[in-house]
């Protein structure tokens, strides 16, 4: 997959510094929306401006600030929404549109292949999405920090295991977090291993 094929866009959205992501196949003109929240209309228009149609949604986890646009997305596009099986019960009322995922789940849009990594800790069904040399990390890994573990479904122990696992990935893998909390909007596994206090093992 080359850069002529991969469509990847980080979209700042909402009052809590969230990032949604559009990922797809430029040639096909189709993409997924990762973490449909806040102003789905604006995100769909953003995609359309680039000649892209949103055909599916993915949730990195089901917290309100990442998932409050699921209804809008389903109503406007009829898209299927991919949610980890441990959290699917939190997304109510769209059962026909929910697809449950698990570790190693694979989704392809045209020639663009996405792999799902189950990374519990922030929530029990938190997942990272890998596409080429990019990793969308939701609230598992932030630039310079990690997600909190003290909310329902959170586990410090599991977070540690998940972060340790991320340190074993290719250092050049680019990290795209679920919030703009860091000194930069993206990073790499290598940089986080060197500088992120939560990635020291
Ligand atoms: Zn969260």
């Amino acid at each position: 997959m080359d850069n002529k094929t991969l469509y990847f866009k980080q979209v700042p959205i909402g009052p809590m510094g969230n990032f949604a992501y559009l990922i797809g196949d430029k040639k096909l003109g189709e993409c997924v929306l990762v973490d449909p929240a806040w102003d789905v209309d604006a995100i769909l228009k953003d995609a359309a401006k680039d000649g892209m149609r949103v055909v599916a949604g993915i949730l990195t986890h089901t917290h309100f600030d990442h998932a409050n646009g699921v209804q809008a997305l389903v109503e406007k596009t009829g898209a299927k929404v991919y949610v980890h099986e441990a959290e699917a019960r939190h997304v109510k009322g769209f059962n026909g549109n929910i697809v449950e995922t698990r570790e190693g789940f694979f989704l392809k849009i045209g020639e663009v292949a996405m792999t799902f990594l189950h990374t519990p800790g922030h929530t029990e069904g938190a997942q990272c999405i890998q596409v080429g040399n990019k990793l969308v990390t939701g609230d598992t890994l932030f630039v310079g920090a990690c997600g909190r573990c003290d909310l329902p479904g959170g586990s410090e122990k599991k977070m540690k295991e998940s972060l340790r696992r991320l340190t074993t990935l290719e250092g050049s893998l680019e990290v795209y977090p679920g919030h703009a909390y860091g000194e930069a909007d993206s990073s790499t596994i290598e940089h986080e291993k060197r500088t992120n206090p939560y990635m020291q093992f």
Side-chain angles (χ1 to χ4, degrees):
M1 177 182 56
D2 51 41
N3 280 337
K4 281 193 191 114
T5 305
L6 177 65
Y7 173 70
F8 186 95
K9 192 170 198 176
Q10 184 183 53
V11 184
I13 197 87
M16 291 172 68
N18 284 82
F19 286 129
Y21 291 89
L22 294 163
I23 306 171
D25 184 323
K26 265 186 218 166
K27 289 177 189 159
L28 183 66
E30 293 185 352
C31 65
V32 300
L33 167 52
V34 181
D35 288 351
W38 304 110
D39 192 346
V40 167
D41 235 355
I43 304 173
L44 295 181
K45 278 184 190 142
D46 199 350
K49 248 191 344 210
D50 295 336
M52 303 296 292
R53 198 163 61 86
V54 174
V55 296
I58 296 174
L59 297 181
T60 60
H61 64 298
T62 56
H63 280 159
F64 178 77
D65 58 315
H66 297 257
N68 64 20
V70 168
Q71 180 167 4
L73 178 66
V74 168
E75 282 175 4
K76 285 176 207 294
T77 68
K80 296 262 191 260
V81 179
Y82 294 80
V83 188
H84 191 271
E85 59 186 357
E87 285 184 43
R89 69 183 184 282
H90 297 316
V91 191
K92 296 199 175 78
F94 320 100
N95 293 340
N97 288 75
I98 298 300
V99 182
E100 296 187 12
T101 68
R102 56 207 59 82
E103 169 61 27
F105 188 88
F106 192 73
L107 178 64
K108 221 171 164 194
I109 302 288
E111 288 175 30
V112 172
M114 286 161 262
T115 308
F116 292 53
L117 289 72
H118 182 210
T119 53
H122 177 63
T123 61
E124 54 191 333
Q127 53 188 356
C128 297
I129 315 301
Q130 184 171 1
V131 54
N133 70 335
K134 301 180 196 315
L135 187 71
V136 174
T137 54
D139 286 3
T140 299
L141 178 61
F142 296 133
V143 176
C146 73
R148 53 194 287 190
C149 305
D150 59 335
L151 300 168
S155 158
E156 215 171 291
K157 183 169 169 282
K158 286 185 179 169
M159 177 60 97
K160 243 186 177 164
E161 286 165 13
S162 291
L163 291 174
R164 186 192 292 275
R165 177 187 177 191
L166 295 186
T167 67
T168 67
L169 300 177
E170 191 65 50
S172 59
L173 196 61
E174 296 166 5
V175 171
Y176 290 90
H179 286 270
Y181 290 159
E183 55 182 15
D185 292 342
S186 67
S187 181
T188 62
I189 292 291
E190 181 59 44
H191 184 76
E192 293 311 300
K193 273 165 75 173
R194 268 192 283 117
T195 60
N196 188 325
Y198 299 94
M199 290 283 267
Q200 307 308 313
F201 292 101

